[in-house]
Amino acid sequence: MHTGRWRDQFGDERPRIEWANAVLSVIDGESQHGLRDAYRDRHGFQTPTLVTWGTRCFDHTFVSRHFEVLDSGYYHEWREDLKLSDHSPMWVRLGLRTDRLD
């Protein structure tokens, strides 16, 4: 998944591991910005639905510590059947945490 090369916005070829590390620096746990990727929080990082084609990741919904992720998923059918985009729309069901958050 993280082997090979990709072209950046300037047309330069880069090692795919750079792209993977950049994505993970944002979505891995709560990182420095304090937000979690809702889908990965619920389903983990090893879920096979992370990839459309190649190593493209789907879009993300970020949540703060104030929310519990009850469930999350993608509407793949909209992307596959309607062919409007290479992105699958997301849905997330959240619960407001009521315990004391400092």
Side-chain angles (χ1 to χ4, degrees), residues 14-69:
R14 313 284 302 193
R16 184 157 308 281
I17 192 68
E18 286 183 7
W19 176 85
N21 288 339
V23 170
L24 288 175
S25 74
V26 175
I27 66 173
D28 189 19
E30 292 191 33
S31 71
Q32 63 189 12
H33 50 70
L35 300 175
R36 303 179 329 273
D37 180 299
Y39 184 84
R40 280 104 198 135
D41 185 74
R42 181 71 180 154
H43 302 286
F45 282 84
Q46 302 306 316
T47 304
T49 57
L50 296 178
V51 175
T52 54
W53 33 270
T55 57
R56 168 148 315 195
C57 279
F58 291 115
D59 293 324
H60 311 279
T61 299
F62 293 103
V63 296
S64 73
R65 68 184 190 280
H66 302 96
F67 296 96
E68 175 185 2
V69 179

